[in-house]
Amino acid sequence: MSLVNGLPAHVLLVHVVVVLIPLTALALVAGAVWPRAARRLGVLLPSLALVALVSVPLTTQAGEWLERHVDDDALVRRHTELGDGLLPWALGLFVLAAVVWWSARGPRREGRDGGAARASRLTSLPLRIVVSVLSLAVAAGAVVDTYRIGDSGAKAAWHDAYSKSAHGEDDGS
């Protein structure tokens, strides 16, 4: 994928990643820390993580195409290097989202009082704590990495490409 309606596809696809990675990270942490949220999110949690995961290599490929069509620049190279590191974070989000979803959808069973109660596959507190801590760490890493990549991309795209004062404005000198 190289162009979409005459624009480099990377410029458009990057918005998918910038929205979905933090959104997935937030949903993952909510589901891992709060089992009721995981049950309410249901299959949406791993589905969101899967779309985020697939969008990363698509955006990276489109970025590599764009890199070959712009002037060689240290800022572009830095952005490309950083961009190559997001896929493991996205994979981690997906794996943990699947674990949280799977654990939250435990089988229904009758409680002692006759009411239906949900049995969780991750019932032990230590295991829930481990999954929560891992989810928080991977979510934070993914969001920070997404920010760093986006910041480097913005610097690469916009350095020396705009005026600090609007056309026709006095710049105060």
Side-chain angles (χ1 to χ4, degrees):
M1 187 180 296
S2 54
L3 295 174
V4 175
N5 202 27
L7 291 173
H10 180 74
V11 177
L12 302 171
L13 290 171
V14 73
H15 292 87
V16 175
V17 172
V18 167
V19 170
L20 289 186
I21 294 292
L23 185 61
T24 301
L26 180 63
L28 172 62
V29 170
V33 172
W34 189 24
R36 180 181 228 169
R39 285 191 298 274
R40 293 195 101 165
L41 285 167
V43 75
L44 178 65
L45 179 59
S47 299
L48 184 65
L50 180 61
V51 173
L53 174 61
V54 169
S55 70
V56 170
L58 290 175
T59 304
T60 303
Q61 279 183 306
E64 288 169 357
W65 177 90
L66 182 57
E67 182 183 23
R68 291 188 302 271
H69 291 84
V70 297
D71 293 336
D72 187 37
D73 182 80
L75 293 173
V76 172
R77 284 192 305 275
R78 174 73 175 143
H79 175 65
T80 302
E81 290 168 9
L82 288 172
D84 288 338
L86 187 58
L87 188 58
W89 292 112
L91 181 60
L93 287 174
F94 174 70
V95 168
L96 286 166
V99 167
V100 168
W101 167 76
W102 181 81
S103 67
R105 59 178 283 280
R108 294 185 66 82
R109 64 176 180 198
E110 288 295 316
R112 285 188 217 178
D113 61 355
R118 220 176 246 287
S120 175
R121 289 187 175 103
L122 291 179
T123 53
S124 75
L125 185 59
L127 198 49
R128 281 188 52 215
I129 290 171
V130 167
V131 170
S132 294
V133 168
L134 279 173
S135 295
L136 186 59
V138 170
V143 169
V144 167
D145 205 33
T146 301
Y147 172 81
R148 291 178 64 222
I149 295 163
D151 182 60
S152 70
K155 286 177 181 170
W158 290 99
H159 75 284
D160 298 330
Y162 70 96
S163 172
K164 292 188 177 162
S165 63
H167 294 287
E169 262 187 31
D170 183 8
D171 63 5
S173 48

